[in-house]
Amino acid sequence: MQTLNQQSQAGAPVVPREEVKPIARAAKAVSEALEQESRYPELDSYIGQGTSSDYDLSPQATWTPFQKVKTYTIPDRIFEQYNQAQVSTMMGLFAEFNHAWVAIDNALYLWDYTHPNPNLIGFEEQPNTITAVQLVTPRVGVFVSSISRLLVVATTAEVILIGFSAQGSSTGGFSVSLYALRMSVPAKGLDVSVIEGSKATGRIFFSSRSSDDVYEFTYQQEEKWFQGRCAKINHTSKGYSAFTPGLYFGRRPQQEMITQMVVDDSRSLLYTLSSKSTIRTFHMKANAALELTITKPFSQTLTSLSHMSSQSDLLSPSMSIVSISAVTRNEAIKIHLVATTSSGCRLFMSATSSYYSASPNAPTSMQVQHVKFPPTDTSVPQLQGQQSTSNSVTPYANTGGRNLSSKALSPTRTAVRYAPGYFLCFVSPRPETDVLFVSGPDSGRIARPQDISGSSRYAELGMWINLGSRAEDIGLASTPFAAAQNPIGFGNELAVQYDRSTSEIVILTNTGLHTLRRRRLVDIFATALRVGGDDGLDGEIRKFIRLYGRGETASTALAVACGQGLDVTSDSRVAKILDPDVLEQARKVFIEHGGKPQFNENSLVDQSLLSVDLVRPSPRHEGLSLYVSRLVRSIWKAPIALEQVSPIGGLAVTSVVTMNKLQEISESLSTLKEFLETNKSFIEGLAGPDALSSVTTKQEEISLQAEHRALHALVVLIHNIIEGIAFVLVLYDEKIEEILQSLQNDTRQQVRNLTYEGLFSTDHGKALAKELVKAIVNRNIASGSNVETIADALRRRCGSFCSADDVVIFKSQELVKRASGVGTETEASREYLNESLRSFKGVAESLSMEQLQWAVEQYVAMQFYAGAIQLCLVKALESDRGNRALSWIQDGRPERDNRIGAFEARKRCYNLVHEVIVSLERAKQEMPDMVDGHYTVNARRREEASQEIDGSEDEVFQTDLYDWYLAKGEPDRLLGVESPFIITYLQRKSSENIEHADLLWRYYAQAERYQDAAVVQLALGKSAFQLSLDRRIEYLSRAKANASINRPGIVRPARTEVLREVSDLLDVANIQDDLLQRLKGDSRIASDRRPSVIQALDGRILNLSELYNTYAEPAMYFDLCILIYDAADHRSPSDIKATWQNLLERVHEETVESGEAQPYEAVGEQVRTLGKRLGLSEIMFPVPNLLPLLMRYAFEFQREVAPESWAVDLFIDVQVPLESIYAVLEEMYYNDEPPFSGRNRRFVCNEIVYIIRQWFHDSTRGTGQMFGGEQNAASISQMLHLMAQSGLSEHRLDECQRLRMRIENMMR
């Protein structure tokens, strides 16, 4: 079949990928078929207000709705007793137990009419003439359980209860026993004629020929105060008349009496029919009362009928009602009762309740809703002679339309209706002879209405049967029909034709018993294929398709081809129709008349996007789905096991479906599977690649592909169902109670909820089945049974539930058990363990988590740590062969990703490895590694396990292991890992978590990879983690230190680049830290704003522009502004000079304001500090600008306060070259700018003399040249000469002259 798909896809456009599994698709088709059949029209929907006379009485025996199976004779001994009768005789049936009875005077005899030589069971212990006999159901709890029925015998003196026990036999018969109960009530003068019982409540009602009163026979287990074990109650007459029913003076009047009673337990109603055709309705209340709610006189019935059909003579006052039949609530909501008239009309009567009724559940009015007239009387069968016992079935002509005047059923003596509409009407043209008219609903046509309106018609198939004698009783020998427990779907005979036995009716006549069998549609079709018709075989097939549709025809043909058709043989047996010609014709019908798939072009938008989803499978697929659904309908939604409490208080597990039923379904499906396999080359959709040769268009190709998909799915489902049933049979062959008790609570609850549908068609059901298989095997292992034997048996019977891999697993488990049995320290134990490990690894993909966990626990208990770890890692890889878990991790573990499932599957395996590691650590603490200088066995085993862990190349495992270490609070364990995956892991994690990033740079530093450590630390300094500024500065400082280390193998440009970036960022961070500390104590900031300012600065490192514009410049932190200029390489001389000027003024003002020190000291300290931080940068620490500023400051503000030459000493202190200071002073002297102009110029001269003296001493110290060379010395000598003439102070003048003299001397 795969080849067909491949070839179709090769030539056809791209078809969307199929997501639904074949088994799920087939299960959906079966469920939809069951759902469709459950919507079979309810009785109320096709029997509405009005009249009808629709019958199909085919002239061919092929289409008859019933067939006579067998005629049983009345035993000669009965006739012998009959001939001795003196007063009266009567006969009747207990059809559900295959027994008939005859009452002759005071004696009652029962016999099994199906037995060729039956024993008579007699009741002759009372002397009075028997007037009525009935079999009823007793009230629960009154009698022992073996008494399933009560035989009510009415005589001229009393009504007697007799215990009735019926035990089924293996041959299908019943063994009946009678028990005297000593329960009776007086009935003298009543002449009891009618008895009826309620199956639901066990109440017994009876009436007499002398009145229309309703009596009840009450009974109880024990006598009570003022109340005996049994009593008689008259529910209709009160007072004295209730106790003297037979006292009359004068001529006895013609009394109305009850001729029939019918109980409807579904509505708690009792209906009675009187001799005057009056119908009464009684409500059976819960308190054992009986309330009359409706009295429907015959005159009212006639009035109702006159409104419906005033033209028919069949509904005249001359007719009477001869019988009534109840319609239960399960069958219809509106229709309550069917009354049959003496003219053969059926009156469908509905009842309604009044809002003001005292009994809200009881109806208060009844009306005729529908009248079904008799069939046409053009061909009433000719009666045989009175002595005739002909079993012939007389076909009848088809009714053309409504016939309201047919007297075909006149005079009707009695009639009966059985669900879902079997109608048996006994017509008595002669006093001692009955002709039987039988009809039944045509379910196929009712389910498939042919009217344009879509409403169903009450279509019936009818037939005549000449009994040749008078009918005495009629009974239903089979279980009452019910396809569903509610009106919708109740009457669907097609749905249950393969699921339950067909209905069987027994008719007792004065000459024998006749059994009628309801013919199913499959039986009718099989007979049609065998016999044919007036139009030949093709005509019968076309008729079937016309009436029931191609889907139903295909389903029925398939059933016939699989041997489902039944017929009565010449020796009166019901047997399967296995005639090869019939089976072959059915096969051809299924194949040749199965129709074709239909492409829905209305749903197609783009012709280039043809899809199999736009194709509706053929009626053949519909027929196959129908057939499968009808075979499994009784088990599809049923649970596979039902837990109950046993009588002794233990657990009892029972099957909702009998084992015989399961075997029957399995056999039918196996036959179907064989049929499909044998004929697949002829079935379109299963034929394989050869079917493509007939394809001419793309649409046909897509349609064929869709047909194949649908049919192949059903084939797979059929296989699954067969194996599933086999598995359930195996399950019940074992001790299922012990198996269920061995399951975990949640699994056990899931098994309780598991239905056959779930077992057959879902992965969950298959998984639960495997759990049960494991439980079966484990139970056998525990009991010492051979695992291989039970495993092979499971594999043969239900391979999908116990595969070859399962067998290997069971064998491996047994090896582990053996290893445990021979002792963990033995060599044999190691061999068993190693062999089990090899086996387990070979089927690791099939190992369940429970099996894996069990194996790991056993391995750890036997100190086979390395094996436990190996098995877990192999299982993890097998569960994710595509390594989707690793790609999910590498993509950052996105949420709601379909790869999470793959990771979780592997994670469960890794968790077991974690448990093994914990066991290893515990063992290490409990047992020493060395004894007498030698490694212990346990130590070697732990070392093997460690090697398995460290040597694993499973990156997902290593990642999970590191996660586990961190979750346990043991991050330092990662620093000792030598796996190549640790760095990848930490690199991946470092972007998510600060702790992982710390571990990464620590790991690099430990491995002496300082450059890599610096890179990580730099990244941390710049990261978005919630880090304080101090922490970032720390990271950057460490990064600078690590980047400064020169190691072999490090690329120098890369190292230089990292070092540069770290240094620049560290400078900015330090400036930001200065700002932060400064702002923390700045009183100018409002208290409510301070936290936000601090938070903004005590975090990520900001850019210089933000630091300057937002914080430093507005806060007038001019020293920090200068540092920012330096870091930003801002070289504007005017900005730098202005900022220095502002800085000096700011420091002076703050110092004066605080009064804590001399202003010049504060200014000097600020300049000294900045000079050192700026590294005497010529741009940021411009001596040509700063020295004049400071000298002006000293001259204007600190003239009498600051020491002489304070400004010059400040620059000397910060290591400014003396020649630079001299050059600035020299320039100041020649510039002659205020305030050092005129007489104030001498202040500059004093400083020049002072700096020359310092320079002289420094340059002449040691072997250096004075002033750096003779040219400089000569120039300075000239400057001193000039200074001496510039108005120096007296001591400076003296100093100047001496200094010039020394210079001159040294120059000579």
Side-chain angles (χ1 to χ4, degrees), residues 1139-1202:
T1139 304
W1140 273 106
Q1141 178 69 42
N1142 292 334
L1143 173 63
L1144 298 181
E1145 293 176 358
R1146 178 75 176 170
V1147 173
H1148 174 78
E1149 292 173 358
E1150 288 178 351
T1151 306
V1152 171
E1153 183 178 352
S1154 64
E1156 295 177 355
Q1158 292 294 337
Y1160 77 89
E1161 293 177 346
V1163 170
E1165 182 60 29
Q1166 184 69 71
V1167 174
R1168 185 180 296 107
T1169 301
L1170 269 179
K1172 291 179 179 180
R1173 289 189 63 175
L1174 294 171
L1176 300 180
S1177 168
E1178 294 180 359
I1179 304 300
M1180 299 303 152
F1181 195 79
V1183 176
N1185 292 333
L1186 289 179
L1187 183 56
L1189 284 176
L1190 286 172
M1191 289 185 65
R1192 185 180 300 113
Y1193 168 74
F1195 176 77
E1196 293 178 351
F1197 299 101
Q1198 302 292 309
R1199 189 185 306 175
E1200 302 298 334
V1201 180

Side-chain angles (χ1 to χ4, degrees), residues 881-903:
R881 289 187 174 183
N883 218 4
R884 299 169 73 241
L886 179 59
S887 65
W888 177 69
I889 292 174
Q890 292 172 341
D891 290 344
R893 308 190 184 204
E895 296 181 358
R896 298 179 180 178
D897 192 285
N898 56 11
R899 295 171 293 178
I900 295 178
F903 174 77

Side-chain angles (χ1 to χ4, degrees), residues 586-598:
R587 184 190 74 88
K588 288 183 177 180
V589 172
F590 178 74
I591 294 173
E592 298 174 4
H593 296 273
K596 293 184 176 296
Q598 294 181 353

Side-chain angles (χ1 to χ4, degrees), residues 1043-1055:
S1044 300
I1045 299 176
N1046 190 13
R1047 297 279 299 173
I1050 298 177
V1051 180
R1052 185 176 183 85
R1055 170 175 167 270

Side-chain angles (χ1 to χ4, degrees), residues 176-189:
V176 171
S177 301
L178 302 181
Y179 300 93
L181 301 177
R182 297 179 182 178
M183 286 186 173
S184 65
V185 295
K188 193 168 184 178

